[in-house]
Amino acid sequence: AVTGIVLASGAQGFMGEIDPAWLQVQQQGSGGEDALKAFARGAEALASRIVHAAKPIAAAIARDAHGAGMEFA
């Protein structure tokens, strides 16, 4: 049985940051606002699942953690 979950960092750090170039393309492209809203809803849903999880969740960070990565940790 699962007693807990550990989110571990990879070789590049703990979670990647949002790419500013991707954000700019989404803002300027057709349907970009919808893509950004969908991304934000997905991130919010993931955060909610972590906060309300029945099992404890811990972050094992061996490298840098900034922005959203630090928030999730």
Side-chain angles (χ1 to χ4, degrees), residues 9-20:
S9 64
Q12 300 288 323
F14 187 76
M15 298 180 67
E17 294 299 318
I18 295 175
D19 181 6

Side-chain angles (χ1 to χ4, degrees), residues 6 13 32-33 35 40 42 49 54 58 60 63 67 71:
V6 176
E33 186 174 326
R49 288 183 68 186
R63 300 259 338 211
E71 289 292 324

Side-chain angles (χ1 to χ4, degrees), residues 43-63:
E44 182 179 21
L46 175 59
S48 180
R49 288 183 68 186
I50 290 172
V51 167
H52 296 100
K55 306 288 182 175
I57 299 176
I61 303 170
R63 300 259 338 211

Side-chain angles (χ1 to χ4, degrees), residues 15-40:
M15 298 180 67
E17 294 299 318
I18 295 175
D19 181 6
W22 177 83
L23 283 175
Q24 186 174 18
V25 168
Q26 297 306 311
Q27 289 174 329
Q28 295 173 352
S30 175
E33 186 174 326
D34 291 337
L36 289 172
K37 286 180 181 179
F39 177 80

